[in-house]
Amino acid sequence: MMEKFGVLVVDDSSFMRKCITKIIEKNPKLYVVGIARDGYEAIEKVQNLNPDVVTMDIEMPNMNGIMALKKIKELHDIPIVMLSNYTEEGAKPTIEALEAGAEDFFLKSELIKQDVDDKVIDYFINKLINIVESKKVQKQCLKINMDEMVNKRVLNNDKPNAKTNIIIIGTSTGGPAALQSILPNFPADLSVPVLVLQHMPPGFTKSLAERFDTFCQLHVKEAEDDEVLQSGNIYIAPSGFQTTLHLRSDNRVSFKITDSSNDNNLYKPSIDVTLNSAAPIYKDHLLVAILTGMGNDGVVGCKSVKENGGHVIIESENTCVVYGMPKAVFEAKLYDVQVPLQDVLKEILTYV
């Protein structure tokens, strides 16, 4: 029999609960194990129903979604996907929820709008399934010798002779939490720029950059069109656009931020698009890290990176929220080393 995963739907709106329930129960791998109307009820239902995953509204009476998230994470190892409003005001609490341990988030407006695209629904459903399945793999990995498992996934490539001149980090589902273990720990005297490509809806990367800027040793900002890359800065590629790198006549490198409304690429920003532009410029001076995320964005770009002499680090399966993007690079043999999240920064700094 096919394994089915139970979903707890948490929302104060009866309409939203019905909509989400209807969407979830269209898929044979998912079923709604229960509903909750506020944070207090969510905590109680998690305790009693033991769901595989929770969809959590942020704004609710009595106890909001962020407070409930923090309490649930203290007591249970259950993945939680937040449902966010598509507004600038909604971005900040969403980023706070991701910091507090939410695996990912999804826009309510995308799910309930008129004539919603089937691809959007499929992406939401696949996100839930992928997160649950990855969580089960992580639990199994705890029973295995981690060092032995990781060592089997490491290629014996020598460290580069050429100096690294830029670090590009690509990530998606689970990315904001993963970035928390890396970006704040870059030393204040880091001699190269860092570019982060995080899959997010438009408007959310600015809040992400502003939040990281409050506790990172380096300055963190959203990348701007025609801006020259400067050492010691962390740039977040703006969501809803494609970010490419261009070599200027003065031999400096700048960003080109382009409107992607007519772009058929699912990901905006796309890691592939950025890496394809960066690889011919930086060649063996380029270092890439592919972290947790759904899909295979990055594998085409990593091919270009390796063809131009660059280097690729990927995150191990046992620490990924979803082992999709690193897995694609791993299976294509386009990486230099694969390490768990806690070792990614150390590995990056050995190259720099």
Side-chain angles (χ1 to χ4, degrees):
M1 289 183 63
M2 179 176 61
E3 185 177 15
K4 299 186 71 172
F5 305 131
V7 185
L8 176 65
V9 176
V10 185
D11 202 295
D12 64 315
S13 163
S14 173
F15 172 72
M16 278 304 302
R17 292 195 302 272
K18 288 177 182 176
C19 287
I20 297 166
T21 297
K22 186 176 179 181
I23 290 169
I24 288 170
E25 296 198 327
K26 282 183 178 180
N27 189 283
K29 290 198 74 170
L30 298 175
Y31 68 99
V32 174
V33 71
I35 61 155
R37 298 167 184 81
D38 61 27
Y40 288 113
E41 194 174 356
I43 295 168
E44 180 185 347
K45 291 290 179 73
V46 165
Q47 184 86 20
N48 295 334
L49 301 176
N50 193 28
D52 293 295
V53 64
V54 177
T55 66
M56 179 84 73
D57 185 21
I58 292 181
E59 295 299 329
M60 295 183 292
N62 303 320
M63 178 188 283
N64 66 31
I66 296 176
M67 292 175 66
L69 162 74
K70 291 177 179 178
K71 190 65 177 176
I72 290 169
K73 287 293 186 179
E74 285 177 10
L75 302 172
H76 307 278
D77 187 21
I78 292 175
I80 299 175
V81 174
M82 308 302 290
L83 295 182
S84 172
N85 291 317
Y86 186 51
T87 62
E88 187 173 342
E89 292 75 22
K92 290 180 180 178
T94 301
I95 300 302
E96 185 182 345
L98 295 172
E99 282 183 22
E103 273 66 19
D104 207 349
F105 74 100
F106 211 88
L107 296 177
K108 283 186 177 185
S109 56
E110 291 294 302
L111 291 174
I112 63 171
K113 67 181 180 183
Q114 197 170 20
D115 300 324
V116 60
D117 192 335
D118 287 341
K119 291 180 181 178
V120 172
I121 298 298
D122 290 343
Y123 188 66
F124 173 66
I125 291 296
N126 288 332
K127 187 181 291 258
L128 297 181
I129 293 171
N130 274 267
I131 287 173
V132 173
E133 290 179 338
S134 293
K135 178 64 72 174
K136 290 181 180 294
V137 168
Q138 285 180 355
K139 289 178 179 178
Q140 291 169 358
C141 285
L142 291 175
K143 302 174 183 178
I144 303 171
N145 184 305
M146 286 294 98
D147 291 334
E148 180 183 342
M149 178 178 168
V150 170
N151 287 337
K152 288 180 180 177
R153 297 184 179 275
V154 175
L155 293 182
N156 294 318
N157 286 17
D158 294 331
K159 289 293 186 291
N161 293 319
K163 178 183 180 294
T164 295
N165 287 338
I166 187 172
I167 301 163
I168 299 180
I169 301 173
T171 187
S172 184
T173 307
L179 292 170
Q180 284 185 69
S181 71
I182 298 173
L183 303 189
N185 295 311
F186 275 125
D189 60 351
L190 187 72
S191 59
V192 300
V194 179
L195 172 60
V196 175
L197 299 144
Q198 165 71 59
H199 294 162
M200 276 186 161
F204 283 78
T205 44
K206 184 178 180 182
S207 290
L208 182 69
E210 289 173 349
R211 180 58 185 154
F212 270 114
D213 192 48
T214 64
F215 54 80
C216 285
Q217 299 183 74
L218 300 174
H219 177 45
V220 185
K221 68 182 299 293
E222 194 175 50
E224 299 178 52
D225 186 42
D226 208 32
E227 180 177 14
V228 174
L229 281 72
Q230 301 285 344
S231 297
N233 280 344
I234 298 173
Y235 301 94
I236 309 287
S239 50
F241 300 86
Q242 297 297 6
T243 296
T244 53
L245 303 183
H246 291 261
L247 186 62
R248 297 162 31 131
S249 57
D250 60 5
N251 231 26
R252 295 190 295 172
V253 178
S254 63
F255 292 113
K256 182 70 175 176
I257 312 294
T258 55
D259 183 2
S260 59
S261 55
N262 297 321
D263 186 347
N264 291 326
N265 201 309
L266 176 63
Y267 305 108
K268 303 168 185 180
S270 164
I271 300 165
D272 285 332
V273 169
T274 301
L275 293 184
N276 282 338
S277 70
I281 297 173
Y282 287 98
K283 301 186 185 304
D284 57 346
H285 299 279
L286 171 59
L287 176 62
V288 176
I290 302 295
L291 308 180
T292 173
M294 270 178 62
N296 62 0
D297 188 25
V299 70
V300 172
C302 285
K303 185 174 188 292
S304 180
V305 171
K306 296 304 296 176
E307 288 174 347
N308 283 274
H311 301 273
V312 178
I313 300 166
I314 57 175
E315 183 182 349
S316 299
E317 181 175 13
N318 57 294
T319 59
C320 283
V321 171
V322 174
Y323 186 56
M325 288 166 24
K327 180 182 180 182
V329 178
F330 172 76
E331 291 181 341
K333 295 182 171 57
L334 295 171
Y335 70 106
D336 292 274
V337 62
Q338 180 165 235
V339 293
L341 179 61
Q342 61 268 23
D343 293 334
V344 170
L345 176 65
K346 180 174 69 175
E347 195 67 36
I348 288 173
L349 293 180
T350 64
Y351 281 78
V352 177

